[in-house]
mmCIF file of all heavy atoms in Angstrom:
data_model
loop_
_atom_site.group_PDB
_atom_site.id
_atom_site.type_symbol
_atom_site.label_atom_id
_atom_site.label_comp_id
_atom_site.label_asym_id
_atom_site.label_seq_id
_atom_site.Cartn_x
_atom_site.Cartn_y
_atom_site.Cartn_z
ATOM 1 N N ALA A 767 82.934 76.517 101.121
ATOM 2 C CA ALA A 767 83.967 77.361 100.503
ATOM 3 C C ALA A 767 83.365 78.114 99.313
ATOM 4 O O ALA A 767 82.640 77.528 98.515
ATOM 5 C CB ALA A 767 85.135 76.498 100.033
ATOM 6 N N VAL A 768 83.662 79.418 99.199
ATOM 7 C CA VAL A 768 83.149 80.191 98.066
ATOM 8 C C VAL A 768 84.081 80.106 96.865
ATOM 9 O O VAL A 768 83.697 80.476 95.756
ATOM 10 C CB VAL A 768 82.866 81.668 98.428
ATOM 11 C CG1 VAL A 768 81.824 81.755 99.543
ATOM 12 C CG2 VAL A 768 84.139 82.406 98.806
ATOM 13 N N ALA A 769 85.310 79.638 97.088
ATOM 14 C CA ALA A 769 86.233 79.376 95.987
ATOM 15 C C ALA A 769 87.239 78.330 96.455
ATOM 16 O O ALA A 769 87.612 78.299 97.630
ATOM 17 C CB ALA A 769 86.961 80.640 95.538
ATOM 18 N N ILE A 770 87.661 77.494 95.503
ATOM 19 C CA ILE A 770 88.652 76.461 95.780
ATOM 20 C C ILE A 770 89.963 76.914 95.135
ATOM 21 O O ILE A 770 89.989 77.225 93.945
ATOM 22 C CB ILE A 770 88.224 75.107 95.162
ATOM 23 C CG1 ILE A 770 86.817 74.704 95.608
ATOM 24 C CG2 ILE A 770 89.253 74.015 95.472
ATOM 25 C CD1 ILE A 770 86.680 74.375 97.055
ATOM 26 N N MET A 771 91.035 76.949 95.929
ATOM 27 C CA MET A 771 92.296 77.485 95.400
ATOM 28 C C MET A 771 93.446 76.508 95.615
ATOM 29 O O MET A 771 94.260 76.662 96.537
ATOM 30 C CB MET A 771 92.582 78.842 96.042
ATOM 31 C CG MET A 771 91.409 79.822 95.829
ATOM 32 S SD MET A 771 91.864 81.543 95.904
ATOM 33 C CE MET A 771 92.220 81.725 97.635
ATOM 34 N N PRO A 772 93.526 75.503 94.740
ATOM 35 C CA PRO A 772 94.601 74.515 94.879
ATOM 36 C C PRO A 772 95.961 75.089 94.485
ATOM 37 O O PRO A 772 96.049 75.959 93.612
ATOM 38 C CB PRO A 772 94.180 73.407 93.910
ATOM 39 C CG PRO A 772 93.313 74.073 92.899
ATOM 40 C CD PRO A 772 92.630 75.211 93.612
ATOM 41 N N LEU A 773 96.995 74.588 95.115
ATOM 42 C CA LEU A 773 98.344 75.016 94.766
ATOM 43 C C LEU A 773 98.763 74.361 93.451
ATOM 44 O O LEU A 773 98.374 73.226 93.149
ATOM 45 C CB LEU A 773 99.323 74.660 95.887
ATOM 46 C CG LEU A 773 99.399 73.219 96.388
ATOM 47 C CD1 LEU A 773 100.242 72.347 95.485
ATOM 48 C CD2 LEU A 773 99.960 73.201 97.796
ATOM 49 N N GLY A 774 99.540 75.097 92.664
ATOM 50 C CA GLY A 774 100.141 74.521 91.469
ATOM 51 C C GLY A 774 101.468 73.871 91.814
ATOM 52 O O GLY A 774 101.897 72.901 91.194
ATOM 53 N N ALA A 775 102.132 74.431 92.807
ATOM 54 C CA ALA A 775 103.418 73.960 93.340
ATOM 55 C C ALA A 775 103.591 74.682 94.672
ATOM 56 O O ALA A 775 102.819 75.595 94.970
ATOM 57 C CB ALA A 775 104.545 74.299 92.364
ATOM 58 N N PRO A 776 104.581 74.296 95.485
ATOM 59 C CA PRO A 776 104.730 74.966 96.786
ATOM 60 C C PRO A 776 104.834 76.493 96.679
ATOM 61 O O PRO A 776 105.349 77.022 95.676
ATOM 62 C CB PRO A 776 106.024 74.360 97.338
ATOM 63 C CG PRO A 776 106.068 72.988 96.744
ATOM 64 C CD PRO A 776 105.505 73.154 95.358
ATOM 65 N N ILE A 777 104.328 77.164 97.707
ATOM 66 C CA ILE A 777 104.334 78.630 97.788
ATOM 67 C C ILE A 777 105.740 79.171 97.513
ATOM 68 O O ILE A 777 106.711 78.712 98.107
ATOM 69 C CB ILE A 777 103.873 79.089 99.193
ATOM 70 C CG1 ILE A 777 102.393 78.760 99.417
ATOM 71 C CG2 ILE A 777 104.131 80.579 99.394
ATOM 72 C CD1 ILE A 777 101.904 78.991 100.844
ATOM 73 N N GLY A 778 105.821 80.134 96.626
ATOM 74 C CA GLY A 778 107.095 80.797 96.383
ATOM 75 C C GLY A 778 108.110 79.990 95.604
ATOM 76 O O GLY A 778 109.235 80.434 95.416
ATOM 77 N N SER A 779 107.715 78.782 95.130
ATOM 78 C CA SER A 779 108.690 77.922 94.446
ATOM 79 C C SER A 779 108.860 78.297 92.971
ATOM 80 O O SER A 779 109.914 78.072 92.392
ATOM 81 C CB SER A 779 108.273 76.450 94.560
ATOM 82 O OG SER A 779 107.109 76.205 93.779
#
Side-chain angles (χ1 to χ4, degrees):
Chain A
V768 300
I770 306 293
M771 304 204 290
L773 54 81
I777 292 172
S779 70

